[in-house]
Amino acid sequence: MTTILEDSTLGTDNAAAEGLPAGQRFRAWFRKHLVWIALGTLLAGLVTFLAINSVSGATDSRRLSARNPAPDGAMAAAEILARHGVSVTPTDTFEDTMDTLSAKDEATVLLFDAQGFLDRSQLEEITAAADRVVVVAPRLRTLNGLNQGIRPGGVVPEATQVIEPGCEQEDARAAGRVSAQGSVLSGPVVCYPTREDGPGLYAASADGRVIVLGSRELMDNQHLALEGNAALALRTLGNNADLVWYIPGVGDISASNSNPTLNELAPRWLAFAGPWLGLVALLAIAWRGRRMGPLVFEPLPVVVKAVETAEGRARLYQDSRAVGRAANNLRAGTLSRLARHFNLGADTTAEAIVDATARHAAQSTQEVRFVLIDFMPESEGQLVQWAQQIERIEQEATAR
């Protein structure tokens, strides 16, 4: 009886589901199988991640890396060399590089130390262990550490598109002209000069064991196909059957390669002069402090006499030689006092003040106007004389 009821109920649910629209049936099915859908999606994502990681795990994003397929990498040059029988061994540390060189009789080392991590002793060990060392775009620290007489000589002009070999070196003559921007160098052997008998993109030591390329564009993926860049890079790196592709990192910095401290930079006499100067400074502070005396407390507000303010402002005008401003202040004060004396009002004009002053001083209007209004002193002497004139006119006008 129970089985019959369950079968009838299931049949009723299926019939009801079949009677619903397609959208509602899909939503019902999705809710019913949501857990399995989530697990399937997670599993598919994990498989995709593992597949992508297995394909791209061998890549390297560092510039000029033999495992970097990006435009600034050098995977193209490394793969071409490998196809032509050169065993390319990328290394990331100084220890791995030296171990690899010790296991090979004759090997070429490509060194790209963009940050100048290696010191002189490390560079000397690499040069001694390798048959040839090719240094790309080095810093001045690296050039000094090589000690091969190669020095920086500027940069390639931006307008220069191609550069001819300009030397008798076999690899450069076979590669022909190149196209690259970067630094130019001077040394015992110089190729690809930017001017006649000048520094070039390619410099080598006298014995040819150390070669310096002034530009990464001679072998990176983006510029390898330009002109003779590929030929020059492959001939320079492929002279031996083994190539160690070394890009130093922070871990290669020598423990003794630290910046000097202030105590190391300071001269020895500073240890005696420093305390003495400190004592002299303390004595000077005590001497000046005693001369200044104790602080004086004065209640506020402070009343300052008008004559002191006037004298102080006059000294400021005198120190700054502000003859014009002093004359304007004197003229404004004189006109204000005359207007107040003659009861002309606050809105009176300068012409009315001049007329009233001329009548009471028994002088012509033109003369009074010239002194009070038109004249402008240009020196301190003229200012003093003019101040006496307007003072005399004011006294004569107010005395009557």
Side-chain angles (χ1 to χ4, degrees):
M1 184 67 179
T2 304
T3 304
I4 296 174
L5 290 176
E6 289 179 353
D7 292 343
S8 63
T9 303
L10 181 59
T12 304
D13 293 341
N14 292 335
E18 291 177 356
L20 294 175
Q24 294 183 4
R25 288 201 306 270
F26 175 75
R27 286 195 293 271
W29 177 86
F30 183 81
R31 286 194 297 269
K32 183 178 180 180
H33 301 87
L34 180 60
V35 176
W36 293 105
I37 293 174
L39 291 176
T41 303
L42 181 62
L43 180 60
L46 180 60
V47 172
T48 304
F49 171 76
L50 293 176
I52 295 175
N53 188 51
S54 63
V55 173
S56 61
T59 62
D60 186 353
S61 60
R62 291 179 299 175
R63 291 182 302 176
L64 221 64
S65 171
R67 297 185 291 258
N68 185 2
D72 61 347
M75 179 182 285
E79 290 187 352
I80 295 173
L81 288 169
R83 292 175 185 176
H84 285 77
V86 178
S87 176
V88 181
T89 306
T91 58
D92 301 326
T93 64
F94 178 76
E95 289 76 11
D96 291 344
T97 303
M98 296 306 299
D99 292 341
T100 304
L101 290 175
S102 63
K104 301 180 184 298
D105 295 334
E106 292 184 352
T108 300
V109 175
L110 182 143
L111 175 62
F112 178 57
D113 190 6
Q115 304 300 327
F117 292 136
L118 302 183
D119 60 12
R120 181 184 295 270
S121 62
Q122 292 170 319
L123 292 171
E124 290 177 350
E125 290 185 37
I126 293 175
T127 304
D131 180 65
R132 172 184 284 190
V133 178
V134 180
V135 185
V136 182
R139 299 171 67 98
L140 180 60
R141 169 186 170 88
T142 304
L143 288 178
N144 293 334
L146 292 173
N147 195 23
Q148 298 293 331
I150 301 175
R151 294 291 179 265
V155 296
V156 177
E158 294 184 3
T160 302
Q161 299 296 327
V162 294
I163 308 175
E164 298 292 340
C167 68
E168 299 299 324
Q169 209 275 341
E170 182 180 355
D171 293 339
R173 292 187 61 186
R177 61 183 189 177
V178 297
S179 176
Q181 292 289 324
S183 302
V184 292
L185 310 117
S186 61
V189 178
V190 175
C191 296
Y192 299 101
T194 55
R195 62 179 187 274
E196 187 176 359
D197 297 331
L201 278 173
Y202 180 107
S205 59
D207 57 3
R209 294 186 60 248
V210 177
I211 299 173
V212 180
L213 302 180
S215 174
R216 301 190 309 269
E217 297 181 5
L218 292 173
M219 61 178 57
D220 64 13
N221 298 329
Q222 183 177 1
H223 304 90
L224 187 64
L226 298 179
E227 300 294 339
N229 293 7
L232 179 64
L234 298 179
R235 290 182 66 91
T236 303
L237 299 176
N239 67 309
N240 289 313
D242 296 308
L243 172 62
V244 180
W245 201 292
Y246 177 34
I247 301 180
V250 179
D252 292 328
I253 299 177
S254 177
S256 60
N257 184 20
S258 59
N259 295 326
T261 63
L262 291 178
N263 291 333
E264 295 174 349
L265 293 175
R268 295 183 178 179
W269 56 263
L270 190 61
F272 304 97
W276 173 251
L277 292 176
L279 178 61
V280 171
L282 291 176
L283 293 176
I285 292 173
W287 169 58
R288 295 299 298 178
R290 292 189 61 186
R291 289 193 60 184
M292 292 176 62
L295 296 177
V296 177
F297 296 94
E298 187 173 354
L300 296 177
V302 178
V303 179
V304 181
K305 297 181 180 180
V307 64
E308 295 180 1
T309 304
E311 289 180 359
R313 184 173 298 177
R315 290 193 181 96
L316 291 176
Y317 289 154
Q318 182 180 6
D319 294 340
S320 60
R321 300 189 181 278
V323 177
R325 177 167 295 184
N328 291 333
N329 289 338
L330 291 175
R331 179 181 288 109
T334 301
L335 294 176
S336 177
R337 290 191 298 272
L338 290 173
R340 187 168 56 252
H341 178 78
F342 297 138
N343 297 323
L344 298 178
D347 56 348
T348 185
T349 62
E351 297 294 338
I353 298 175
V354 169
D355 293 340
T357 302
R359 289 195 305 270
H360 287 79
Q363 296 184 15
S364 63
T365 304
Q366 292 78 6
E367 182 180 357
V368 174
R369 176 182 176 81
F370 175 77
V371 176
L372 293 182
I373 305 299
D374 298 334
F375 183 75
M376 176 59 69
E378 298 180 355
S379 63
E380 295 180 357
Q382 292 181 0
L383 177 64
V384 173
Q385 296 178 1
W386 174 74
Q388 294 174 353
Q389 292 178 5
I390 62 175
E391 183 181 10
R392 184 168 56 255
I393 291 177
E394 181 181 0
Q395 291 178 354
E396 292 177 358
T398 57
R400 299 182 181 182

